[in-house]
Amino acid sequence: MSASSPTPRALRWLFWLAGTLSLGLGIVGVVVPGLPTTPFVLLAAACYAKASPRLHRWLREHRFFGPMVRDWEEHRSLHKRTKRFAQVTMLVMVAISAWGLRERPVTLAIVLIAAVIGAVWVARIPTREP
């Protein structure tokens, strides 16, 4: 192995960093319209699985994020209830933002475009019945 190639420790650190950034974006996505929470949390779980078994276990057992992570890892799908919750939350936050941005058409357009992208992203995740 050459001196310039990353070591497993360096890769774990990069996965930890990517997982932490993804989880942060997922948390921000809870309140920012158009920024979907689910894909970022799932990405964080995948990164943590490679970086830290302890963080991966913590995310799997988290009371809010754990069910979606477990569903994805075990079935590569989400429950209909989880998807519906994500979509309704996004809709409510986008509606509130749209009302607040009604006098700023460019910013409103950006928020609406981001919301559509987020809604399509979540809709494309496979659904399974409970």
Side-chain angles (χ1 to χ4, degrees):
M1 187 181 292
S2 70
S4 64
S5 65
T7 64
R9 181 179 173 113
L11 283 175
R12 283 194 311 271
W13 186 86
L14 288 173
F15 278 121
W16 176 87
L17 181 61
T20 301
L21 290 173
S22 295
L23 183 59
L25 286 171
I27 291 168
V28 170
V30 171
V31 294
V32 173
L35 187 62
T37 297
T38 303
F40 287 116
V41 172
L42 296 179
L43 178 59
C47 291
Y48 285 163
K50 295 192 178 290
S52 167
R54 182 180 58 85
L55 286 173
H56 182 249
R57 186 174 45 256
W58 170 80
L59 195 54
R60 279 183 59 92
E61 294 171 1
H62 191 273
R63 106 180 145 81
F64 181 71
F65 298 126
M68 75 175 82
V69 172
R70 288 189 304 272
D71 277 348
W72 181 256
E73 289 180 349
E74 294 168 11
H75 305 285
R76 291 293 188 237
S77 63
L78 298 175
H79 281 289
K80 183 184 277 187
R81 180 175 177 242
T82 302
K83 281 180 70 171
R84 188 170 292 139
F85 177 77
Q87 291 167 328
V88 168
T89 303
M90 284 174 48
L91 178 64
V92 168
M93 294 308 296
V94 167
I96 291 168
S97 296
W99 183 79
L101 296 170
R102 64 189 180 278
E103 294 180 14
R104 297 182 176 153
V106 173
T107 307
L108 176 59
I110 291 169
V111 167
L112 293 176
I113 289 168
V116 168
I117 291 169
V120 168
W121 188 293
V122 171
R124 290 180 49 108
I125 295 173
T127 306
R128 72 182 176 85
E129 296 296 326

